[in-house]
Amino acid sequence: MKIKSFSGILFACYIGTFLRAFINNSLVVSIFGSFFFGFVIAKRLSYSREKIMLNGFFSSFTSFSGFIYFLYKIFNQGDWIKFIISFNSIIIINLFTMYFGFWISRKIT
């Protein structure tokens, strides 16, 4: 990997983390991240730009740890039905949101 790409990924991680610090809702961040992730995938960017956006920005902006912590709290309460419904609904909502971003991006170009 070239040093320019590596520094771009580090900068994108910084921006993603900085933005994530101001939004305290994991579901909102996850939905925005999924939408723009699908949008970027459909754009067919160069390899280095795609790595900067997907591996740098979105991996820092969307919070898998926030998602897991939310599910962990439900799991510790012993509410299995709520846990299963929350887990599946979050995954399904994010997949549809990502596809919608992909679809919108294809319609624009």
Side-chain angles (χ1 to χ4, degrees), residues 23-75:
I23 303 172
N24 198 22
N25 189 332
S26 294
L27 183 62
V28 170
V29 168
S30 180
I31 289 172
F32 278 130
S34 295
F35 177 81
F36 288 113
F37 195 90
F39 195 86
V40 168
I41 288 173
K43 286 294 182 190
R44 296 184 186 160
L45 301 174
S46 67
Y47 179 76
S48 62
R49 286 185 181 174
E50 188 174 284
K51 288 294 177 193
I52 289 170
M53 291 298 294
L54 300 180
N55 293 345
F57 180 77
F58 289 117
S59 64
S60 295
F61 180 64
T62 58
S63 58
F64 182 72
S65 59
F67 166 68
I68 293 301
Y69 180 66
F70 172 74
L71 291 175
Y72 176 74
K73 288 192 308 187
I74 295 171
F75 183 77

Side-chain angles (χ1 to χ4, degrees), residues 5-19 49 51-61:
S5 296
F6 185 70
S7 61
I9 290 173
L10 288 176
F11 183 70
C13 287
Y14 172 75
I15 298 296
T17 304
F18 182 76
L19 289 174
R49 286 185 181 174
K51 288 294 177 193
I52 289 170
M53 291 298 294
L54 300 180
N55 293 345
F57 180 77
F58 289 117
S59 64
S60 295
F61 180 64

